[in-house]
């Protein structure tokens, strides 16, 4: 204990330097303002059949909002005299367009009142359009209120859920392993996902100049953007580095001091806010898209439709997860990790260098989170606050599977991924995370140690 | 004095003349391990029963399921004539079954005296609404404080009454935990390795206190590694190995029991799990003694 | 450089700073942090979703008026009930489990609450993103102050309605500080603190840790709910996007800054926090406006983001270097590191 007190002063200073470093980085990473393609719009035109004259009439003054894939509203407005609503969106990609039926004039109804939100795919430089079918009283009476749950939709949502689930698993494993080996719930884990996502963007658009401003104007990998594949590799390296730095400069010294995990947890909360808002400062608040592979047309496989990029990254993720599993089963370090997670004291007394294992877990977990971040960014969008938006889902996944177990995180992530996608059959997409929360709470009520976890020790 | 136990048959599960606690078919598994596997056990009222067994035998887990801190997979328990299969730990404590923990649980940021006062039962001021009106609980609080002071004096801890519990030595924390449990007016005290990591002088004191409990008519069950200690003070010894009770009998008979010797030698042997903590405690206590000597 | 200081209106900055240190924001934060103090400082509960309680209180009170047309006093009761329901929702599944589960569920639930409040599905009730705007009338009728007259002195001057909020707010603060003080010196408080230190030890001594934690969660939640009600009254509106997740960590900073587990800590923390933030932000804005900070580094809207950096960094640094805050004792903190 006396030894750790001696260390602690140095440890504190190092931590302070690191935090200042993060802030300084934010100040000095000066790079050119983003230049994304312009002209993407989203719109709709509302008309209905006037029951007396039988004419198609424009419906004006109806409120609509545009949401991005996270459910954040990015634009709102009303239809003009021609029944037209059009707004600019930050880039190509998928958006939700929501109509507010209560703002429809009297006698006009939504044919499908259960689905006020349409998913719209906006291609580069084009306007994505949605159609809302409006009906008058007579037509409304004639509409059979059939539910629209079809096998095709279920299959499609399941596949999308699985895809998101494997991304989530990759991103979440680190959180679970860090908890398993140190007892720390890392609330900054989401920011580690954002870290990979954003670095890939920077490399993708600006190359190394994204990091070292003076390189601007140099040839491709240095002064200019590189293909996303290389950018991804570089983002992984940055991810590994972040995990190393976080443990080396913050959490290892805190452990050496004997700081309670609860305090360390509050430190992670502080870090997460700091880092997230540094992202906002550097990157801006508007969601963006990677330069490559962004707008892709889906290919049909049986009843489902999937874009090539989603297919490839999904399969790649499965392969990586299999490798992680093999590593945990076979490799010496993998076994050591499981041993530490299982019983830290026992592992220590049987000669395992626990601190080294923990360092490795931080590095590897952060690397996987970074890669997960890139895949999610590619599949959806690149945004500064992905870390917070995804945190709930990661928590739901690891708690469901069993906090502290790697396989648990995998199982939990797949359940959460599929669960929230399929739940959109019944609940509006903007509330789909509610499903994850409900899942989390039900899991805690029924089996708090999670599917693969084990009960804790008392006394 | 309790009935003489010398003449009981020396076999596992033997019925006692006046049992305060009866356990039947108690089982608890952790994955593949059966941590507790007890067919039948009775604890004699008013006696000191030692529970011994090699490390990992399941003693702590047995305590946990008995006191409600862990749910057994199956089994029945009857305390003082009442079935307590589903009772939660705090209810059991209120009924008079109180325990201590192998790893000491002092409430570090509360003063020693506050630790003691917490133990008292049926405090009016522990109800939210009543706590708001001081006169309702002031008088009772004074009585509790007096009782606590008497106990502290008896345990020779009165001079550290106002210190933080986290600031006293490890051995003293063990003492505190024991005396705190007495504040609940228990019928049965279950002590999980009360002597572990305590320096020899303090150990002797603890032993005297345990004997003192018996004199007050309190039943004691305690877990211990050291056979010598067990010989000295217990009326009855129960031996656990691999979750099961393998032998029971008066202390002398146990030392010669072949099964027991096998269990002890067959096991990895006797390094306590929390060796580090013990050594830390020991070192602390020794340092403190030196200081007092120097003064 | 006289030019630098000449370009800056120091008097304005100081007036703003003093005013904000006791104004509505400081009141709301102090109340929220008093609740958090009951949770974390005394009961050891890791509530990372205090903003949810603030929102529950605000929406409860607002809806009671807009939806059910209740009178102001009943509306306050409804606000308390909403906070209680939120506490039960969070507490029942998690309070039997390790402390981290509460943290996970609270941080998630508070955000979900906001998303539900602003969702299309709830639009008929919560009015979506625009929120509730027509509830403040009956409350203002209770005000003895003339809306068009200014009250107070120097930088501490408010128009009648605002003055009413400030007076009610500070009265509530003093009331809850007293309440917490009384509770924590009673046997009830002893049990709660014991549970913070070691829940199993408390259970072994006959205290139902679960029940006391639930009580503490509800109490702290209701106090946070009063923060939300003050916010609603002061701003005359309840909008979902005010209740964003980082706000909880502002409350945490306020609490840790003051010193968790001390009765006055949340109030002191809040006053200092709002004073500092106002000072830095006003100075930053003026520096940018005066061209002293080039806009290539930072524009005025980004100055406002700095608040989050400060909060994040300060929270982490405080936990590392001075976890006892201003009022706490270092010795007590050292007891933890055993
Ligand atoms: N929570 C738990 N999870 C898994 N195994 C446990 C748990 N608690 C105890 N065990 C196992 O149960 C057995 C009995 O342990 P314990 O009751 O602590 O023994 P003792 O107190 O006799 O040393 C050991 O093998 C131990 O590893
Ligand atoms: Mg044991």
């Amino acid at each position: 204990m006396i030894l750790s007190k001696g260390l602690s002063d140095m440890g504190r200073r190092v931590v302070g330097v690191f935090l200042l470093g993060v802030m300084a980085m934010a100040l000095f990473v000066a790079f050119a303002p983003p230049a994304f393609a312009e002209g993407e719009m989203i719109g709709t035109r509302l008309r209905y059949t006037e029951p007396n004259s039988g004419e198609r009439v424009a419906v004006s003054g109806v409120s609509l909002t545009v949401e991005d894939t996270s459910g954040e509203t990015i634009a709102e407005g009303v239809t003009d005299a021609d029944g037209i609503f059009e707004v600019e969106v930050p880039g190509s990609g998928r958006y939700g367009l929501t109509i507010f039926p209560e703002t429809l004039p009297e006698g006009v109804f939504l044919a499908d009142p259960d689905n006020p939100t349409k998913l719209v795919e906006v291609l580069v430089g084009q306007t994505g359009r949605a159609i809302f079918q409006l009906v008058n009283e007579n037509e409304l009476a004639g509409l059979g209120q059939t539910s629209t749950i079809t096998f095709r939709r279920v299959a499609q949502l399941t596949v999308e859920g699985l895809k998101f689930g494997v991304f989530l698993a990759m991103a979440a494993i680190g959180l679970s392993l860090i908890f398993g080996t140190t007892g720390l719930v890392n609330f900054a884990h989401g920011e580690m996902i954002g870290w990979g996502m954003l670095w890939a963007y920077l490399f993708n658009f600006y190359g190394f100049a994204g990091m070292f401003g003076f390189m601007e104007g140099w040839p491709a990998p240095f002064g200019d953007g590189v293909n996303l594949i290389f950018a991804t590799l570089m983002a992984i390296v940055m991810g590994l580095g972040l995990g190393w730095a976080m443990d080396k400069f913050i959490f290892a010294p805190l452990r050496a001091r004997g700081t309670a995990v609860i305090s360390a947890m509050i430190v992670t909360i502080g870090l997460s806010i700091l880092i997230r808002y540094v992202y906002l400062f550097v990157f801006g608040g508007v969601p963006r898209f990677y330069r490559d592979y962004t707008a892709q047309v889906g290919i049909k496989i049986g009843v489902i439709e999937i874009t090539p990029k989603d297919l490839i990254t999904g399969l790649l993720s499965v392969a990586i997860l299999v490798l992680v599993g093999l590593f945990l089963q076979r490799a010496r370090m993998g076994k050591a990790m499981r041993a530490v997670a299982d019983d830290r004291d026992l592992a220590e007394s049987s000669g395992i260098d626990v601190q080294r294992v923990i360092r490795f877990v931080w590095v590897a977990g952060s690397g996987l989170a970074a890669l997960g971040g890139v895949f999610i960014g590619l599949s959806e969008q690149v945004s500064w606050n992905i870390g917070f938006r995804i945190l709930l889902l990661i928590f739901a996944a690891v708690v469901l599977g069993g906090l502290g177990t790697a396989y648990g995180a995998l199982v939990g992530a797949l359940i959460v991924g599929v669960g929230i996608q399929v739940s959109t059959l019944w609940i509006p997409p903007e509330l789909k995370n509610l499903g994850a929360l409900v899942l989390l709470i039900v899991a805690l009520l029924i089996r708090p140690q999670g599917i693969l976890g084990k009960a804790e020790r008392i006394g | 004095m309790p009935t003489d136990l010398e003449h009981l048959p020396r076999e596992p599960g033997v019925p006692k003349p006046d049992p305060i606690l009866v356990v039947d078919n108690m089982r608890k598994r952790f994955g593949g391990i059966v941590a507790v596997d007890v067919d039948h056990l009775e604890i004699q009222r008013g006696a000191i029963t030692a529970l011994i067994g090699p490390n990992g035998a399941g003693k702590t887990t047995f305590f946990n399921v008995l006191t409600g801190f862990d749910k057994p997979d199956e089994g029945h328990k009857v305390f003082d004539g009442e079935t307590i299969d589903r009772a939660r730990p705090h209810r059991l404590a209120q009924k008079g079954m109180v325990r201590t923990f192998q790893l000491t649980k002092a409430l570090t940021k509360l003063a020693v005296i506050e630790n003691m006062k917490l133990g008292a039962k049926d405090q009016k001021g522990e109800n939210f609404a009543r706590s708001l009106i001081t006169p309702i609980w002031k008088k009772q609080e004074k009585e509790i404080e007096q009782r606590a002071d008497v106990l502290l004096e008896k345990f020779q801890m009165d001079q550290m009454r106002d210190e933080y519990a986290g600031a006293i030595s490890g051995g003293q924390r063990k003492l505190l935990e024991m005396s705190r449990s007495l504040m609940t007016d228990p019928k049965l005290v279950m002590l999980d390795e009360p002597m572990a990591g305590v320096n020899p002088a303090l150990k002797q004191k603890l032993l005297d206190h345990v004997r003192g409990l018996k004199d007050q008519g309190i039943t004691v069950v305690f877990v211990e590694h050291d056979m010598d200690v067990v010989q000295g003070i217990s009326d009855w010894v129960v031996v656990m190995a691999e979750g099961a009770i393998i032998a029971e009998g008066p202390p002398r008979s146990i030392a010669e029991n072949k099964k027991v010797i096998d269990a002890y030698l067959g096991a990895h042997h006797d390094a306590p799990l929390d060796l580090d903590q013990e050594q830390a405690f020991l070192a602390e206590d020794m340092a403190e003694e030196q200081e007092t000597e120097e003064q | 450089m006289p030019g630098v200081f000449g370009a800056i209106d120091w008097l304005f900055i100081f007036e703003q700073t003093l005013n904000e240190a006791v104004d509505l924001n400081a009141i709301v934060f102090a109340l929220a942090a008093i609740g958090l103090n009951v949770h974390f400082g005394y009961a050891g509960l890791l509530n990372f979703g205090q903003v949810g309680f603030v929102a529950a209180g605000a929406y409860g009170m607002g809806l009671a008026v807009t939806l059910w047309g209740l009178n102001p006093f009943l509306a306050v009761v409804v606000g308390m009930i909403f906070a209680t329901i939120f506490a039960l929702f969070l507490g029942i599944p998690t309070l039997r489990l390790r402390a981290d589960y509460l943290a996970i569920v609270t941080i998630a639930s508070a955000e979900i609450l906001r998303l539900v409040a602003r969702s299309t599905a709830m639009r008929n009730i919560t009015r979506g993103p625009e929120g509730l705007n027509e509830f403040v009338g009956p409350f203002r009728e209770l005000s003895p102050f003339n809306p068009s007259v200014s009250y107070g002195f120097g930088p501490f001057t408010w128009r009648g309605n605002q003055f009413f909020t400030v007076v009610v707010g500070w009265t509530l603060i003093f009331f809850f500080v007293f309440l917490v003080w009384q509770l924590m010196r009673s046997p009830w408080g002893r049990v709660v603190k014991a549970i913070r230190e070691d829940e199993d030890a408390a259970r072994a001594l006959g205290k139902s840790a679960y029940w006391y934690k639930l009580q503490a969660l509800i109490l702290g939640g209701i106090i946070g709910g009063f923060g939300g009600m003050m916010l609603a009254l002061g701003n005359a509106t309840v909008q979902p996007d005010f209740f964003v997740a980082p706000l909880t960590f502002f409350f945490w900073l306020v609490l840790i800054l003051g010193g968790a587990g001390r009765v006055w800590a949340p109030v002191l923390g809040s006053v200092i926090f709002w004073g500092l933030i106002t000072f830095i932000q006003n100075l930053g804005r003026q520096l940018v406006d005066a061209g002293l900070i080039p806009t290539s580094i930072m524009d005025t809207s980004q100055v406002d983001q700095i608040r989050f950096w400060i909060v994040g960094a300060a929270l982490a640094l405080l936990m590392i270097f001075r976890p006892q805050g201003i009022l706490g004792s270092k010795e007590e903190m050292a007891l933890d590191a055993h």
Side-chain angles (χ1 to χ4, degrees):
Chain A
M1 240 178 31
I2 292 154
L3 190 71
S4 73
K5 285 254 163 63
L7 265 177
S8 71
D9 269 355
M10 198 180 76
R12 285 162 178 226
R13 230 165 287 139
V14 175
V15 175
V17 168
F18 177 77
L19 287 176
L20 288 178
V22 173
M23 296 184 74
M25 181 194 87
L27 281 171
F28 294 108
V29 176
F31 62 92
F36 49 79
E38 279 192 340
E40 285 88 4
M41 312 254 295
I42 198 164
T44 187
R45 182 174 187 192
L46 300 183
R47 290 188 299 179
Y48 89 119
T49 314
E50 218 280 323
N52 300 325
S53 61
E55 268 174 47
R56 294 291 283 172
V57 184
V59 183
S60 64
V62 180
S63 296
L64 292 116
T65 58
V66 179
E67 295 93 34
D68 62 26
T69 38
S70 69
E72 296 286 335
T73 302
I74 54 173
E76 43 196 345
V78 293
T79 52
D80 63 15
D82 297 322
I84 291 173
F85 165 84
E86 257 178 14
V87 288
E88 207 162 313
V89 289
S92 60
R94 256 175 293 154
Y95 296 90
L97 183 61
T98 304
I99 187 168
F100 292 101
E102 61 276 15
T103 59
L104 289 169
E106 231 166 286
V108 184
F109 305 92
L110 216 48
D112 181 9
D114 293 336
N115 289 303
T117 301
K118 300 270 181 213
L119 206 60
V120 185
E121 184 88 39
V122 182
L123 300 179
V124 178
Q126 296 184 9
T127 300
R129 292 191 189 285
I131 297 168
F132 291 99
Q133 198 191 348
L134 300 182
V135 292
N136 59 36
E137 282 147 327
N138 308 339
E139 290 165 330
L140 183 70
L143 276 179
Q145 297 289 356
T146 50
S147 137
T148 50
I149 300 176
T150 60
F151 171 71
R152 200 198 64 76
R153 269 187 79 198
V154 174
Q156 177 71 29
L157 288 171
T158 305
V159 169
E160 275 168 26
L162 284 174
K163 176 202 77 187
F164 186 65
V166 287
F167 296 164
L168 200 61
M170 217 163 24
I173 280 179
L175 179 76
S176 202
L177 282 176
I178 289 167
F179 175 84
T181 48
T182 65
L184 174 73
V185 177
N186 176 17
F187 283 83
H189 194 79
E191 275 53 55
M192 292 161 67
I193 297 168
W195 180 261
M197 180 184 276
L198 298 186
W199 275 113
Y201 181 89
L202 281 186
F203 289 130
N204 188 216
F205 273 82
Y206 309 104
F208 282 116
M211 206 181 345
F212 310 106
F214 66 88
M215 287 186 178
E216 224 167 299
W218 292 18
F222 303 104
D224 197 2
V226 290
N227 179 286
L228 186 63
I229 294 172
F230 296 109
T232 304
L233 294 177
M234 288 194 264
I236 294 174
V237 173
M238 296 304 294
L240 299 171
L242 177 71
W244 179 84
M246 295 248 283
D247 189 50
K248 166 93 183 166
F249 295 120
I250 300 180
F251 294 102
L254 287 181
R255 281 197 303 278
R257 270 170 69 188
T259 304
V261 267
I262 299 228
S263 308
M265 221 135 79
I266 300 171
V267 173
T268 68
I269 278 281
L271 280 178
S272 95
I273 296 184
L274 172 62
I275 299 175
R276 198 184 318 147
Y277 280 87
V278 168
Y279 290 167
L280 175 62
F281 180 82
V282 174
F283 189 76
V286 187
R288 320 225 188 121
F289 298 88
Y290 290 127
R291 202 157 70 169
D292 310 303
Y293 317 115
T294 291
Q296 287 187 337
V297 182
I299 48 175
K300 278 214 150 60
I301 305 173
V303 290
I304 58 131
E305 195 178 310
I306 188 167
T307 55
K309 63 176 180 183
D310 281 349
L311 188 62
I312 290 168
T313 51
L315 292 176
L316 214 53
S317 306
V318 172
I320 289 166
L321 289 170
V322 170
L323 283 179
V324 170
L326 283 175
F327 177 83
L328 284 171
Q329 283 308 333
R330 300 276 166 80
R332 259 182 75 180
M333 182 51 102
K335 285 181 190 162
M337 276 157 65
R338 284 191 299 142
V340 174
D342 212 41
D343 187 335
R344 187 163 154 181
D345 295 332
L346 191 65
E348 190 134 45
S349 60
S350 58
I352 294 174
D353 181 350
V354 172
Q355 294 307 319
R356 208 175 74 101
V357 171
I358 293 174
R359 179 68 45 82
F360 185 87
V361 168
W362 271 95
V363 172
S366 174
L368 284 171
L371 181 58
V374 180
F375 285 177
I376 293 169
L378 181 61
S379 166
E380 296 176 0
Q381 59 187 4
V382 182
S383 73
W384 66 283
N385 65 353
I386 177 70
F388 183 71
R389 287 194 283 116
I390 208 165
L391 198 63
L392 160 65
L393 304 183
I394 295 178
F395 280 152
V398 296
V399 170
L400 201 61
L403 248 179
T405 63
Y407 303 118
L410 172 62
V411 174
L414 290 179
I415 295 177
V416 168
V418 173
I420 58 172
Q421 286 301 339
V422 172
S423 74
T424 59
L425 286 172
W426 302 280
I427 60 176
E430 61 177 341
L431 288 184
K432 68 183 176 188
N433 286 2
L434 182 64
L437 177 70
V438 171
L439 208 59
L440 172 64
I441 286 180
V442 171
L444 287 179
L445 283 171
I446 297 173
R447 195 180 156 83
Q449 72 270 39
I451 296 170
L452 297 182
K454 55 171 200 194
E456 43 174 320
R457 222 179 161 118
I458 308 159
Chain B
M1 274 286 108
T3 342
D4 198 2
L5 300 173
E6 282 287 339
H7 307 297
L8 292 178
R10 290 155 191 191
E11 58 196 33
V14 57
K16 308 286 180 324
D18 178 17
I20 188 168
L21 182 66
V22 181
V23 184
D24 266 309
N25 291 318
M26 185 70 70
R27 263 166 267 292
K28 174 75 190 175
R29 288 176 202 86
F30 291 110
I33 314 166
V34 186
V36 172
D37 184 5
V38 172
D39 290 331
H40 186 79
L41 179 69
E42 298 185 4
I43 303 289
Q44 171 67 13
R45 188 189 305 272
I48 298 179
T49 304
L51 179 61
I52 67 167
N55 233 297
K59 305 179 296 290
T60 297
T61 311
F62 191 38
F63 263 39
N64 286 345
V65 292
L66 287 180
T67 51
F69 277 87
D70 229 337
K71 270 205 204 91
D73 300 319
E74 55 182 290
H76 293 294
K77 39 187 179 163
V78 175
F79 175 65
D80 210 11
E82 186 184 351
T83 304
I84 50 162
D85 287 345
R86 302 173 65 88
R88 296 193 171 275
H90 68 274
R91 297 292 306 157
L92 288 177
Q94 288 163 5
K95 286 183 204 292
M97 181 171 169
V98 65
R99 73 171 289 185
T100 66
F101 294 87
Q102 185 171 351
L103 301 173
T104 334
K105 292 186 184 296
L107 305 165
T108 44
K109 278 188 259 174
L110 297 187
V112 167
I113 183 74
E114 293 295 308
N115 264 269
M116 295 292 291
K117 289 196 297 197
L118 179 73
K121 277 201 289 198
D122 301 322
Q123 297 190 41
K124 293 186 184 121
E126 285 183 358
N127 173 287
F128 181 84
R130 279 186 282 185
S131 74
L132 295 173
I133 302 161
T134 314
I136 295 184
W137 47 264
K138 197 72 197 175
K139 192 164 148 274
Q140 194 192 26
E141 178 86 354
K142 281 237 172 67
E143 289 162 12
I144 291 170
E145 193 161 323
Q146 275 166 9
R147 211 148 62 79
D149 277 326
V150 170
L151 263 175
L152 281 179
E153 208 181 310
K154 202 166 133 199
F155 279 72
Q156 289 163 322
M157 303 218 310
D158 37 342
Q159 74 283 7
M160 48 194 107
R161 153 186 215 281
D162 296 315
E163 281 183 47
Y164 284 122
I168 62 179
S169 78
Q172 286 162 338
R173 266 183 263 165
K174 287 245 166 199
L175 262 180
L176 172 60
E177 199 179 357
M178 193 161 140
S179 51
R180 188 178 64 192
S181 69
L182 298 182
M183 286 294 292
T184 65
D185 282 329
K187 294 179 193 154
L188 169 64
V189 179
M190 304 181 57
L191 308 168
D192 197 351
E193 305 209 11
M195 266 53 104
V198 177
N199 72 45
L202 208 52
K203 203 176 237 173
Q204 203 48 53
K205 251 203 260 177
L206 267 163
L207 287 175
D208 292 342
H209 289 308
V210 172
R211 276 201 204 94
L213 294 183
K214 182 179 158 184
D215 296 341
Q216 290 172 45
I218 298 173
T219 313
V220 179
V221 179
F222 76 107
V223 172
E224 181 53 54
H225 281 288
D226 187 344
M227 275 303 277
D228 291 339
V229 171
V230 172
Q231 297 284 350
I233 67 162
S234 55
D235 301 310
W236 192 258
V237 179
V238 175
V239 188
M240 268 184 103
E242 292 172 5
I245 306 235
I246 57 163
E248 262 192 77
R252 243 176 314 261
S253 74
I254 291 298
E256 295 139 20
N257 187 313
K258 186 154 178 327
K259 266 196 201 159
V260 177
I261 296 166
D262 282 352
Y264 265 87
L265 296 181
H268 289 285
H269 208 43
D270 211 332
L273 244 173
D274 48 328
L275 201 61
D276 290 346
Q277 197 203 4
E278 277 190 27
Q279 277 168 353
F281 279 1
L282 270 176
E284 255 178 75
D285 281 349
M286 307 256 238
E288 222 155 85
E289 261 159 40
Q290 261 177 4
E291 265 171 45
T292 31
E293 272 165 32
E294 278 159 23
Q295 276 167 6
Chain C
M1 286 204 300
V4 173
F5 294 102
I8 289 174
D9 186 349
W10 290 103
L11 184 66
F12 174 80
I13 292 182
F14 282 122
E15 274 190 359
Q16 284 288 306
T17 301
L18 289 175
N19 181 277
E20 279 289 324
V22 297
D23 201 4
L24 181 66
N25 283 325
I27 291 170
V28 172
F29 275 50
L31 287 169
I34 292 172
L36 204 53
N37 201 20
V38 172
H39 291 155
F40 177 70
Y42 292 106
L45 300 174
L46 280 179
N47 172 11
F48 283 170
Q50 181 69 344
V51 72
F53 287 101
V54 175
Y59 269 101
M61 188 187 81
L63 288 174
V65 177
T66 58
L67 211 59
W68 302 310
L70 297 180
N71 75 43
F73 295 103
L74 286 177
V76 169
V77 173
V78 173
M80 293 167 67
I81 292 174
F82 269 46
T84 307
I85 293 173
F86 193 54
L88 294 175
F89 173 81
L90 298 174
I92 288 172
T94 60
L95 290 181
R96 286 190 207 283
L97 312 174
R98 292 172 41 117
D100 357 32
Y101 286 104
L102 178 69
I104 290 174
V105 170
T106 45
I107 199 174
S109 302
E111 178 68 1
I112 296 285
L113 196 65
R114 180 179 79 86
L115 290 179
V116 170
R118 79 195 302 292
S119 72
T120 325
M122 296 288 284
R123 210 178 171 83
N124 289 331
I125 298 169
T126 60
R127 312 274 157 80
E130 296 97 71
L132 309 172
N133 297 306
E134 280 124 27
F135 59 86
V136 84
F139 291 95
R140 296 228 159 125
E141 275 166 26
L142 298 174
S143 164
F145 306 110
N146 184 340
S148 47
V149 173
S150 286
Y151 296 84
F153 60 91
F156 308 108
T157 308
W158 292 272
R159 288 274 162 176
N161 282 335
Q162 275 86 333
F163 189 65
F164 180 55
T165 346
V166 170
V167 169
V168 174
W170 279 97
T171 310
L172 281 174
I173 289 176
F174 284 110
F175 171 74
F176 283 122
V177 166
F178 171 77
L179 184 80
V180 171
W181 173 80
Q182 167 67 16
L183 280 170
M184 294 311 160
R185 72 193 192 102
S186 79
W188 187 88
R190 182 162 59 222
V191 177
V192 163
K193 284 183 270 185
I195 289 167
R196 172 191 70 194
E197 297 302 311
D198 194 314
E199 145 173 12
D200 283 339
R203 294 164 80 201
L205 293 171
K207 319 298 172 193
S208 169
Y210 180 69
W211 172 230
Y212 280 93
K213 286 199 282 183
L214 200 57
Q215 289 180 58
L217 189 65
I218 293 172
L219 172 67
I222 287 179
I223 300 176
F226 271 99
M229 295 187 234
M230 285 317 299
L231 183 77
L233 287 186
N235 290 339
T237 176
V238 181
Q239 287 175 354
D241 292 343
F242 180 83
F243 306 103
V244 291
L247 214 54
T248 294
F249 304 106
F250 287 38
F251 305 152
W252 270 87
L253 177 61
V254 160
L255 176 64
I256 306 280
L257 183 65
R262 306 276 145 165
V263 273
W264 283 106
V267 185
L268 181 69
S270 182
V271 167
I272 294 179
F273 174 80
W274 276 102
L276 268 181
I277 286 283
T278 311
F279 181 81
I280 293 172
Q281 224 153 259
N282 275 299
L283 186 63
R285 266 188 227 138
Q286 291 202 17
L287 286 172
V288 172
D289 284 345
L292 294 169
I293 295 180
T295 43
S296 63
I297 291 185
M298 194 174 281
D299 60 35
T300 357
S301 77
Q302 286 174 321
V303 172
D304 292 345
Q305 294 168 14
I306 290 182
R307 157 190 317 199
F308 293 92
W309 301 10
I310 295 172
V311 169
L315 190 55
L317 292 170
L318 263 179
M319 269 335 273
I320 295 169
F321 297 107
R322 203 183 158 83
Q324 74 271 30
I326 296 171
L327 296 176
S329 96
K330 194 165 182 178
E331 291 71 51
E332 226 175 83
M333 282 295 151
L335 296 175
D336 269 344
H338 261 284

